[in-house]
Amino acid sequence: MDRKPGRPRGLTVEVIAQAALDDGVATFSMPSVARRLGVAHSGLYRYVEDRDDLLVRALDLAILGADWPDAGLPWRDLLRGIGETIWQMCQDHHGLDSAALSAPRSPRSVEDRIQSYIETLQSQDFVLEDAAVSVEFVITLALTASAEMRRLQKIEAQHENGPRLPVLKAYDTEEVWRGRGWYARKLDIVLDGLEHRRLSS
């Protein structure tokens, strides 16, 4: 019996978004996702508008699956926890850092979480604008720091059998080139500044 045309059994927006994550959130294409799912490329457009829409939905799925800090934490612990979650997401999904930074809009799930975190900071003597900037800053810092470390790893791999790329002496340290680079140092500087700003406002 011939199958009637229509939506393939088991195909949902969530299934397609997961396929995009599995294919590579920064590099997937609509045809590559369709191949992974064994469906026609054109059939995906019954569920998502275009690649940008699918990117946002894939990021949304990654966000929903991440382990986020409790909104009731003290503000320093909360901001550090947000950064840890972003780092773990970047490790779990290669290329998520650059994909998130280039996304056409924020996933709804992250907006909901940000709102709860902003309210927590407000309850701990942050003015609204500082609370919003603080949460956004930590997310952006973790994403950009992760992307930077991937860039440095590529540079180092290209110079594997020779001297490291010449840089200023201050940047030629193991702290810069290993692990998370200067992420923790940058975050500490910002948190110390926020403490001063919060107490003086």
Side-chain angles (χ1 to χ4, degrees), residues 16-37:
I16 297 170
Q18 184 62 57
L21 283 176
D22 294 341
D23 202 54
V25 68
T27 57
F28 77 86
S29 66
M30 297 297 279
S32 70
V33 170
R35 284 193 300 272
R36 179 174 286 270
L37 293 170

Side-chain angles (χ1 to χ4, degrees), residues 96-113:
L96 182 141
D97 41 28
S98 56
L101 290 167
S102 65
R105 64 181 183 277
S106 297
R108 181 58 187 270
S109 57
V110 79
E111 291 178 355
D112 292 341
R113 292 190 181 277

Side-chain angles (χ1 to χ4, degrees), residues 8-182:
R9 251 180 269 169
L11 198 60
T12 64
V13 171
E14 185 172 327
V15 167
I16 297 170
Q18 184 62 57
L21 283 176
D22 294 341
D23 202 54
V25 68
T27 57
F28 77 86
S29 66
M30 297 297 279
S32 70
V33 170
R35 284 193 300 272
R36 179 174 286 270
L37 293 170
V39 300
H41 171 207
S42 59
L44 298 181
Y45 293 98
R46 297 177 181 177
Y47 302 85
V48 295
E49 295 175 10
D50 51 25
R51 188 190 185 280
D52 281 348
D53 184 34
L54 181 51
L55 171 59
V56 172
R57 291 176 184 272
L59 292 172
D60 199 50
L61 193 62
I63 290 163
L64 289 171
D67 185 18
W68 291 88
D70 183 87
L73 290 171
W75 70 269
R76 275 183 179 264
D77 295 336
L78 177 59
L79 292 175
R80 288 188 188 282
I82 293 169
E84 288 299 316
T85 296
I86 298 298
W87 272 100
Q88 189 60 54
M89 288 173 58
C90 292
Q91 289 183 341
D92 292 343
H93 306 287
H94 182 76
L96 182 141
D97 41 28
S98 56
L101 290 167
S102 65
R105 64 181 183 277
S106 297
R108 181 58 187 270
S109 57
V110 79
E111 291 178 355
D112 292 341
R113 292 190 181 277
I114 286 175
Q115 181 59 40
S116 69
Y117 293 151
I118 289 172
E119 291 169 2
T120 293
L121 295 186
Q122 283 185 276
S123 73
Q124 297 181 42
D125 301 322
F126 279 73
V127 298
L128 174 62
E129 294 80 4
D130 285 1
V133 169
S134 299
V135 174
E136 180 186 346
F137 177 85
V138 171
I139 292 173
T140 303
L141 176 62
L143 290 172
T144 54
S146 174
E148 175 67 3
M149 292 314 296
R150 288 198 297 116
R151 185 182 76 86
L152 291 180
Q153 288 166 7
K154 288 181 181 177
I155 291 174
E156 196 166 45
Q158 292 168 356
H159 294 78
E160 195 171 24
N161 298 319
R164 184 180 286 169
L165 187 70
V167 293
L168 292 174
K169 183 178 179 180
Y171 295 92
D172 194 16
T173 68
E174 290 302 299
E175 183 183 2
V176 170
W177 290 83
R178 296 287 179 265
R180 296 182 178 182
W182 272 352

